[in-house]
Amino acid sequence: MPLVVEQLPLGQIGTNCYLVRADRSSPEAVVVDPGADATTIRLTLARSGARCAGILLTHCHYDHFGALADLAEGTGAPVWLPEGDEPVFRDPDTYFGGYGIRVPPYTGEATLVGDGDTLDAGGISFAVTAVPGHSPGHVAYYADGCLFSGDVLFAGAVGRVDLPGGDWDTLLDSIRRLGDAYPPETRVLSGHGPETTLGAELARNPFLSELRAER
Ligand SMILES: [Zn+2]
């Protein structure tokens, strides 16, 4: 049975948070990127009759983890953080202070993940791929035909590389490796905007002409 994925745009720039269940009857859900508004996330979970069984973070940008501390504390759910970006979750001011953005630090327990790891949460097995370029420690989570790509790849766009630790060639290489690792029909559930597929982006995304030339 395919995963049940609910997209929940949250916060000032409508960053996508995802609620993921193994199937419709599952009493557990995994939350990917709780960017803002823990109350809305918890109400939405309650409406579907699911409790929060795990919280996964793709990368350290404030609009993806603004509700992490609240949601983790309020639900007691285990947390998985990308190891390369961990310092920012612990002390956001070092990264965002200069931008005048305040995000609550996450001080609780977490399992750190990196390239090649797998994790089990909510009855779902997720594979972790390191996809640096937008942020240095960015990871993507793959489960059952769904790729939670954070801010690496969008429908018709790619992640910006002008924030600290960003790099264009690194980003392009990350997308190249996703294309090599997963089939074209893979659903891409990204941090902003609508769902797409890996194949559609590799075929038509205007930022990926370099990759098409190689194929
Ligand atoms: Zn980002």
Side-chain angles (χ1 to χ4, degrees):
M1 237 185 297
L3 297 182
V4 177
V5 181
E6 188 168 356
Q7 186 195 64
L8 206 56
L10 296 173
Q12 285 181 343
I13 53 174
T15 302
N16 290 327
C17 169
Y18 291 99
L19 312 182
V20 190
R21 285 180 292 152
D23 58 62
R24 293 227 168 264
S25 61
S26 174
E28 299 189 315
V30 174
V31 176
V32 180
D33 285 353
D37 204 351
T39 305
T40 298
I41 297 170
R42 294 184 71 181
L43 284 172
T44 308
L45 287 171
R47 263 200 296 276
S48 65
R51 70 177 185 87
C52 183
I55 304 170
L56 311 186
L57 279 298
T58 61
H59 69 296
C60 68
H61 290 157
Y62 76 95
D63 58 312
H64 292 256
F65 79 98
L68 169 61
D70 273 1
L71 186 69
E73 193 183 328
T75 61
V79 172
W80 284 268
L81 299 177
E83 59 186 353
D85 278 1
E86 193 212 1
V88 184
F89 297 103
R90 301 303 189 181
D91 188 5
D93 281 353
T94 57
Y95 193 89
F96 298 114
Y99 297 85
I101 293 163
R102 313 292 300 188
V103 197
Y106 179 63
T107 56
E109 282 181 30
T111 303
L112 302 184
V113 293
D115 196 47
D117 288 346
T118 56
L119 65 96
D120 291 298
I124 305 164
S125 178
F126 292 89
V128 181
T129 306
V131 284
H134 172 72
S135 81
H138 201 308
V139 299
Y141 297 97
Y142 176 88
D144 199 15
C146 296
L147 182 70
F148 298 91
S149 68
D151 285 356
V152 169
L153 180 61
F154 307 113
V158 297
R160 56 192 286 187
V161 293
D162 59 330
L163 296 169
D167 181 72
W168 170 249
D169 288 335
T170 307
L171 182 78
L172 202 59
D173 190 52
S174 291
I175 298 171
R176 181 186 287 119
R177 284 184 297 103
L178 290 175
D180 291 342
Y182 299 113
E185 63 273 20
T186 302
R187 296 170 66 186
V188 175
L189 299 139
S190 48
H192 302 274
E195 175 176 342
T196 181
T197 66
L198 209 42
E201 296 315 309
L202 291 170
R204 289 189 288 277
N205 188 308
F207 295 91
L208 301 180
S209 52
E210 222 174 295
L211 295 189
R212 278 192 285 285
E214 295 168 6
R215 286 178 167 242

